[in-house]
Amino acid sequence: MFIIKILLKKLYFNKMLGDVIIASFIGITAGFISVFFHFALHSASHFVHHTIETWLAHYSPFLLVLVPALGGLCLLPFALRYPSEIHGFGMPRFLMNIHFRGATLKIRNIPIKIITSILTIATGGSAGVEGPIAQIGGTVGSVTGSFFKAGTNRVKMLIACGVAASIGAQFNAPIAGVLFAQEIVIIQPLQMNTFAMIVISSGIGTAISRIYYSSAPLFGSVTYSFHSYYELALYSILGIIIGIIAFIFIRFYYFTEGFFTKLPINKHLKPVIGGLCVGCIGLIHHSAIGEGYDVIHAALSSPMKFTASVFFLLIILKIIATSITLGSGGVGGMFAPSLVIGATIGAAFGASINMFFPAWHITPESYALVGMGSFLAAATHAPMTAIFLLFEITNNYVVILPIMFSSVIGLIIASHFCPESLDTYGLAKQGIHLHGEKIEHLLADKTITSLIHDDFHVMPENTTLREFISILSNSQYEYYPCVDHNQELTGMLSFRHVRQILFHEKYLGDLCILKEIVSPDLVYFLPNVSLKKAVQVFQLKEFAVIPVVDSIENKRVIGLVHHKEVIKEYNRTLLLHQTHVAQV
């Protein structure tokens, strides 16, 4: 095992080959986990529906309200053991871990998310697996990065690889997986090498899924009819309606979450209360609870199975059921409910047009398809993910124009009323804004002056390797600024720079000087540099320590700044701002 680890690390440091190997490993791992998750969820759902529900219905159909509550009760052992890790919609917490807490995710997240989300969804909780599976894939990437001791910025990229592979495998949609990772998780422009790694992971994850579950689109063969370009006006109206309902959904969910948060009972019992409420909704219409893909299949293949009034009822019930399930502490994601609500809105809209204007020969299933993607775009603020997901689901290019019109209009309307998405609205209420530059403004007026350490030891660049190793063995310092004869900075040194040639010290010790091994990438700070700039440089360069010089002209070292202390000060500033927002 030790030899394998050494070989993997050597390959990792060969940049191009290492990137391909790591991306492939993450794609394979996330793909197999997604396949297992899919199998486990459907096995559990089959057992619940055909055994537990059948048994309860034998006595009384009203006993079925107990099934979602049973799922909430089964979460209790996990809630007691991991009190801050399982309850509710996990994406905001996941994004916080990525962007503000060092992108370190614990490997135990994988089994915990699998089991708890299955308990919630299989027993009738109105939630999806896409949120948990994205977090599981992200954990695979984070653990892989920790194994190779990668820097924070690189770990974020590996997390994106895992997310893309998981979503691609779940939807059999590799392009949508890539865009989901970029628009929802990373929320920043991708460099070419980063984009290539995410594409590799998503492609391999999807391929693993197709080995077990065929290459057919997730919702089967979906036909789409587009009769006239005049229909774009109808799709634009659909976009307006979807934008308004998406805004209502976002606000209602967080209102429900706030209600359950303030509810004066033990928080571990709240999923049980929520489960009872969801069970009651299931008595009104059973299709409103659970994952809801049966509603999507009906809307896309046989929308006349439901009347327009039933579709309208399902829209309301699904919004309420999803908000209660996740707001009370059930485990799952918003992706599937968003698709269900969108498909239902589209089918209801198409059925209504047919009812009032039968001569137009509108096909409600086409509007259900576009509505599904449009609502996803409006609710998550991820239009490219929605557009390409629709394209991959249909394999029909004709759908592109309608989904572009409808999703963008829906996004504009939803953003007008609520600038934050389902994933980020809760963070925004705490003063944390992932979109835009609002977070960075918190750091723009602060400098690194208070973080400068003046306890350090400089090394002349003509010091021999043997002398430097001798100093290292008796020194308390880990990092050493290297200076020339004018005491001007020429680079930074640490044990990492010399460990590769330690075994050759006998031959090179007196021949090699520090000038020859110091990194040519000269990076330094001025004393008045902002904390915002410091964070950006550390993320870009992935250094642990950066020296501070007195001026650009002299470059005389006056201290060192540590990455971990910059992040600590960043988090402290953020926490103070959150506290202020909460008080306001």
Side-chain angles (χ1 to χ4, degrees), residues 72-73 75-84 86-87 265-273 328:
L73 187 63
L75 296 178
L76 187 59
F78 298 93
L80 294 174
R81 182 66 181 85
Y82 309 104
S84 61
I86 71 159
H87 282 324
I265 61 174
N266 189 299
K267 67 177 182 179
H268 302 316
L269 296 178
K270 292 176 183 179
V272 181
I273 304 298
S328 65

Side-chain angles (χ1 to χ4, degrees), residues 1-14 17-18 21-22 147-148:
M1 182 64 186
F2 176 75
I3 295 175
I4 294 174
K5 186 174 181 179
I6 294 297
L7 289 174
L8 284 173
K9 286 190 175 183
K10 285 184 178 295
L11 287 172
Y12 179 75
F13 285 113
N14 183 334
L17 180 60
I21 291 174
I22 297 303
F147 176 84
F148 289 109

Side-chain angles (χ1 to χ4, degrees), residues 27-46:
I28 292 170
T29 305
F32 275 114
I33 292 176
S34 181
V35 168
F36 171 76
F37 196 177
H38 185 276
F39 168 77
L41 175 61
H42 282 268
S43 298
S45 299
H46 185 273

Side-chain angles (χ1 to χ4, degrees), residues 473-494:
S473 62
N474 298 292
S475 175
Q476 62 175 337
Y477 301 106
E478 187 177 357
Y479 299 94
Y480 300 83
C482 191
V483 298
D484 60 16
H485 63 282
N486 292 323
Q487 296 298 304
E488 292 189 10
L489 178 71
T490 59
M492 283 289 290
L493 284 166
S494 68

Side-chain angles (χ1 to χ4, degrees), residues 418-441:
C418 181
E420 300 293 337
S421 69
L422 269 172
D423 302 308
T424 62
Y425 184 84
L427 298 177
K429 287 173 65 177
Q430 304 173 47
I432 304 170
H433 300 269
L434 295 183
H435 296 284
E437 300 182 351
K438 295 180 181 179
I439 294 176
E440 295 179 354
H441 292 330

